[in-house]
Amino acid sequence: MENFAIHIHESYLYGLPLSVVNLIVMFGAAFVVLLGFVAPFAGLLSFIERRIAARIQCRIGPNRVGPQGLLQFLADGVKSLFKEDLIPKVADKPLFIIAPYLVFLGMFTSFVVLPFSSQWIVADLNVGILYLFATAAITVVGLVMAGWGSGSKWSMLGGMRSAAQIISYEIPTGLAALTAILLAGSLSLQEIIAAQGPHPWQWYFFDNPFTFIAFFILFVALVAEGNRAPFDLPEAETELVSGYNTEYSGMRFLFFFFAEWAHLYVLGAILTTLFLGGWQVPESLLASVGAESIAARILELVFFQLKIYVLVFLVVQLRWTVPRVRMDQMMDMCWKYLVPIGFFCVAGVAIWMMLFPDGVSFVKYLLIAFSSAMVLYYFYKVYRNFKDSRAELELNPFV
Amino acid sequence: MLDSLQPLVFGMLALIIFISAAFITFSRNLIYSAFALLGSFTGVAGLFAMLGADFLAVVQLLVYIGGIMVLYLFAVLMTSGIGDVRLTNRSIAVKIALPLALVLFFSLGKLIFETEWFAQQTVKIAPTTAAIGDLLLTKYLLPFELVSVLLLSTLIGSVALARQELRNSKENHD
Amino acid sequence: MEGLQHYTPLLMIFGLGIVFAGLFLLLAYAFGPKNPTASKLDVYECGVPSMGSARERFSVKFFLVAMLFLLFDVEVVFLFPWAVLLKTFKEAGMGAAVFWPMFVFLAMLGLGLLYEWRRGGLDWD
């Protein structure tokens, strides 16, 4: 990035001071991240989610705008530009207006530290993983603000519930992340990925039984933090109309949804980074395209994305197959199950590191075998369900 | 590149902190005061980052915004009659507070002018997390373990208080 | 990493986020229709006029959750510097010096959690 700025400075803008050129380059890079990554990711995820949801519910889903309905999110975005922006009479106007901003910012700024490849990262902070959790805190404030600002009972209840839920689940999130941090000895996302390898037996997911459990804790906790079903109590349609965003319309409403889908992506990225080896590509494959070439970087990006989208698919499928839990069940699950198990995992990993500094390959292969069996069983069940429920759609994804 | 803009960034952060602090103090609306904490907490986190204390900056966001601010918000929302803006946050005890504030102001001012400041040329951004851990586990081991005892006692105290409060509110409901 | 350029992208993205969101809101303001009516500006209620205010006293349960979170959050924050250290200390052959102090810390936490659980501090209702 620095070199690029110097290059630009020397060849094009030598009349300007270097710091200004640097500023311009940084601004440009941030803008590319903004438009090139964040918006399409959130948009595409909305499309993916709707198509999967439709398929699970024996519908077809959006398939008119663009090929297979791929551009539906653009149409939706443009549509919401032409919607009336309503602010309720009893709303606390300044808070009502600021709240979507905060939710949007909290989600949006987390993309800065995501490692898309070994060199493509906007800011490789030394405390990257903590920064990701800290941005969630800003979102919480935004949600409470939205709830209070709307002046509606539904919004108020939704905002409070969501705040309580997100802060509760931040504890298991932190604990589960600690297991990977212990093994990597760093808080920087790039260093955590670099400490793992491209092959499954080098991932932290299979490193020992405790990280294996921690992965699932993190998965559940992050799903809950995103206010997604089965933990979508803050926006439970049947109880709270739409929760904290009941009173919002048009563009502001879209911001809340943007944040939700962006969180889905960040969820996948966190899990992939901490436990699934991030952008790591097998060396032989990397060598075949040239380790330093741009193709290698793209390959890394593709690997990273693939892992994320597998996880995203799981979360979406979870949303449309599992019923919503009750408030007390959700709180119990966090404080009575995930937090104690999380502590147990942190202590376990520490002890494991003391006893077996080099890892135990036997346990690793056992865990890999176990999860392979789980995945096979999963595919079998899905296949059976497809066969039993609707033969006419079959498994053809293109309708 | 931020180095050359350092005074500007510092000025911006200071302005954010100052404005939100003033807002917290002077706003008549308790809820607004609580939300304005966001500005001052974020600003302080920014200052930590400028000083090269990356771990502290993130912890400031994590604990103060995620924890303390949400705690304040919940506490404010438990106040009865919070919906009526005019009722909340009246300035009371000005006669006591004003002299106290003046004394604080002058002693701080005296301190600022009497201290011999030295200029740090550049801030080195090195990972501070490991250094903090190192100190916690060697030089400050006893305070560190005492912190855990303190947290434990806070936990016990909080559950005792909250249980009672919960019982009271339940009785009021019945 | 020397200097503060490390944080430049962060500052940028904060600025850009605000500009980006503001731009879209401005566009929505420019294109959107504006004909509010009394019932449009009312808060949502299921077919009947809304009664009373939403800004009532809230349950103390939420406050308790926030307090619990704050305590455990501080504890977890203390764990992070330790987690970063253990690997390097272990490789230097001084693992025990880092491991045991933290074990005491973790045990304290576990005790606290257990007490909270037994006293019903973790129950939602």
Side-chain angles (χ1 to χ4, degrees):
Chain A
M1 190 62 91
E2 298 293 299
N3 297 337
F4 182 64
I6 291 166
H7 172 72
I8 294 267
H9 178 243
E10 280 167 356
S11 27
Y12 304 108
L13 298 166
Y14 44 85
L16 291 166
L18 185 61
S19 64
V20 176
V21 176
N22 250 321
L23 204 73
I24 293 168
V25 170
M26 287 287 180
F27 208 78
F31 200 73
V32 167
V33 170
L34 191 74
L35 288 178
F37 283 114
V38 184
F41 278 151
L44 275 180
L45 283 183
S46 75
F47 163 75
I48 291 170
E49 161 138 41
R50 289 173 68 181
R51 281 301 287 265
I52 297 171
R55 193 46 68 86
I56 289 172
Q57 296 171 337
C58 298
R59 297 183 283 118
I60 292 171
N63 67 345
R64 292 297 159 116
V65 190
Q68 289 296 320
L70 207 63
L71 299 177
Q72 182 69 41
F73 73 94
L74 282 180
D76 286 344
V78 172
K79 179 193 73 178
S80 64
L81 274 181
F82 294 96
K83 290 287 174 191
E84 189 170 357
D85 186 16
L86 290 171
I87 300 177
K89 224 168 23 202
V90 292
D92 196 322
K93 217 173 163 187
L95 294 184
F96 186 85
I97 290 170
I98 296 169
Y101 260 103
L102 281 182
V103 174
F104 178 81
L105 264 187
M107 219 54 255
F108 182 66
T109 47
S110 58
F111 275 80
V112 184
V113 294
L114 295 187
F116 291 105
S117 89
S118 58
Q119 276 154 36
W120 293 350
I121 180 167
V122 183
D124 180 21
L125 297 186
N126 293 321
V127 286
I129 184 71
L130 276 178
Y131 172 83
L132 274 179
F133 298 151
T135 51
I138 300 177
T139 312
V140 176
V141 176
L143 294 181
V144 177
M145 203 185 260
W148 170 267
S150 298
S152 156
K153 286 162 200 155
W154 313 111
S155 306
M156 188 72 210
L157 278 168
M160 291 294 277
R161 271 191 188 183
S162 115
Q165 176 176 339
I166 296 178
I167 59 171
S168 293
Y169 276 90
E170 250 174 47
I171 304 293
T173 309
L175 288 172
L178 266 171
T179 59
I181 293 163
L182 267 169
L183 288 170
S186 172
L187 295 176
S188 150
L189 293 176
Q190 287 291 40
E191 280 173 36
I192 292 173
I193 292 177
Q196 301 174 65
H199 305 292
W201 55 89
Q202 292 165 318
W203 295 351
Y204 285 158
F205 185 31
F206 299 114
D207 192 82
N208 60 55
F210 301 105
T211 49
F212 191 76
I213 301 168
F215 174 85
F216 291 102
I217 294 179
L218 192 60
F219 183 81
V220 172
L222 283 175
V223 170
E225 267 194 51
N227 292 329
R228 287 186 65 86
F231 305 102
D232 63 340
L233 292 118
E235 40 192 289
E237 299 91 338
T238 41
E239 306 165 28
L240 291 183
V241 187
S242 181
Y244 47 77
N245 56 30
T246 304
E247 299 301 331
Y248 283 90
S249 61
M251 212 60 216
R252 292 180 214 281
F253 176 76
L254 203 68
F255 281 174
F256 284 103
F257 268 79
F258 176 85
E260 186 179 328
W261 280 307
H263 177 87
L264 200 55
Y265 186 82
V266 173
L267 172 155
I270 293 178
L271 283 166
T272 306
T273 303
L274 290 183
F275 291 103
L276 300 180
W279 40 254
Q280 294 269 15
V281 177
E283 264 158 38
S284 52
L285 206 60
L286 210 56
S288 65
V289 294
E292 295 302 319
S293 65
I294 197 97
R297 300 290 88 77
I298 291 172
L299 205 63
E300 285 172 345
L301 179 70
V302 168
F303 265 62
F304 189 62
Q305 300 295 338
L306 273 180
K307 290 172 189 172
I308 289 178
Y309 279 108
V310 168
L311 289 168
V312 165
F313 178 82
L314 271 181
V315 178
V316 171
Q317 199 195 18
L318 198 68
R319 171 170 179 178
W320 297 100
T321 38
V322 182
R324 183 181 303 131
V325 297
R326 276 201 324 262
M327 187 73 184
D328 60 322
Q329 288 170 335
M330 188 189 70
M331 284 307 189
D332 275 3
M333 178 156 167
C334 175
W335 289 104
K336 294 187 179 172
Y337 293 92
L338 295 186
V339 171
I341 299 173
F343 273 123
F344 172 72
C345 284
V346 171
V349 169
I351 293 170
W352 192 273
M353 278 175 74
M354 297 297 287
L355 294 179
F356 315 105
D358 302 320
V360 187
S361 43
F362 167 70
V363 174
K364 283 182 190 175
Y365 292 125
L366 208 67
L367 285 172
I368 291 175
F370 176 66
S371 8
S372 311
M374 250 167 45
V375 170
L376 283 179
Y377 181 68
Y378 163 84
F379 277 122
Y380 171 73
K381 284 297 272 190
V382 171
Y383 175 72
R384 284 306 304 241
N385 281 346
F386 264 108
K387 276 203 107 169
D388 292 349
S389 57
R390 45 188 192 285
E392 74 276 11
L393 283 177
E394 288 186 348
L395 284 168
N396 175 21
F398 303 105
V399 178
Chain B
M1 180 252 323
L2 265 187
D3 289 329
S4 50
L5 296 172
Q6 220 166 359
L8 185 75
V9 176
F10 175 77
M12 258 162 53
L13 288 174
L15 201 68
I16 290 173
I17 297 173
F18 181 75
I19 289 176
S20 25
F23 197 83
I24 294 163
T25 329
F26 294 119
S27 169
R28 281 294 176 93
N29 189 331
L30 209 52
I31 277 280
Y32 283 8
S33 295
F35 278 123
L37 281 171
L38 180 71
S40 93
F41 285 156
T42 323
V44 172
L47 285 188
F48 275 135
M50 277 192 79
L51 290 170
D54 50 359
F55 184 71
L56 274 187
V58 184
V59 166
Q60 166 84 15
L61 285 179
L62 204 63
V63 173
Y64 278 84
I65 294 179
I68 292 183
M69 203 181 141
V70 173
L71 191 74
Y72 279 179
L73 281 174
F74 283 3
V76 167
L77 294 177
M78 274 169 30
T79 321
S80 47
I82 186 71
D84 191 351
V85 178
R86 250 158 286 190
L87 263 178
T88 54
N89 206 20
R90 274 166 302 168
S91 304
I92 46 166
V94 178
K95 279 175 197 158
I96 312 165
L98 201 65
L100 271 177
L102 281 176
V103 167
L104 189 70
F105 183 76
F106 280 112
S107 45
L108 273 179
K110 198 168 171 321
L111 201 69
I112 287 170
F113 283 111
E114 283 183 358
T115 312
E116 282 181 30
W117 299 100
F118 57 92
Q120 183 99 13
Q121 284 309 316
T122 46
V123 181
K124 278 206 174 64
I125 305 290
T128 55
T129 319
I132 290 172
D134 202 21
L135 281 177
L136 275 181
L137 292 168
T138 52
K139 200 173 168 191
Y140 299 106
L141 184 59
L142 187 67
F144 175 60
E145 296 296 346
L146 281 180
V147 163
S148 72
V149 179
L150 178 71
L151 285 171
L152 184 66
S153 52
T154 321
L155 208 61
I156 292 170
S158 76
V159 71
L161 281 174
R163 277 282 96 181
Q164 187 157 8
E165 181 73 22
L166 213 57
R167 252 200 313 279
N168 288 347
S169 70
K170 255 183 199 155
E171 274 161 20
N172 289 346
H173 267 284
D174 296 334
Chain C
M1 260 310 153
E2 195 128 352
L4 290 169
Q5 52 268 84
H6 213 46
Y7 296 106
T8 314
L10 226 75
L11 214 66
M12 291 279 147
I13 213 98
F14 262 94
L16 264 177
I18 292 172
V19 170
F20 191 70
L23 191 77
F24 269 87
L25 280 182
L26 214 69
L27 282 175
Y29 181 78
F31 291 128
K34 282 170 275 295
N35 35 13
T37 61
S39 55
K40 264 191 202 170
L41 292 182
D42 208 2
V43 290
Y44 181 86
E45 191 55 81
C46 309
V48 290
S50 188
M51 275 172 68
S53 163
R55 281 138 194 173
E56 295 284 328
R57 256 193 91 173
F58 233 82
S59 170
V60 71
K61 285 188 275 190
F62 288 94
F63 185 71
L64 181 61
V65 168
M67 206 147 61
L68 261 183
F69 161 75
L70 190 58
L71 286 167
F72 279 97
D73 201 33
V74 171
E75 283 162 4
V76 171
V77 160
F78 271 109
L79 288 173
F80 277 102
W82 162 74
V84 172
L85 273 187
L86 187 67
K87 193 185 176 198
T88 34
F89 269 66
K90 177 70 195 160
E91 278 161 8
M94 303 203 308
V98 181
F99 180 77
W100 287 111
M102 213 28 154
F103 204 78
V104 175
F105 193 85
L106 268 177
M108 285 290 198
L109 280 193
L111 264 175
L113 191 68
L114 200 70
Y115 178 81
E116 193 88 1
W117 194 338
R118 298 286 298 178
R119 285 292 303 265
L122 302 182
D123 295 333
W124 180 248
D125 41 22

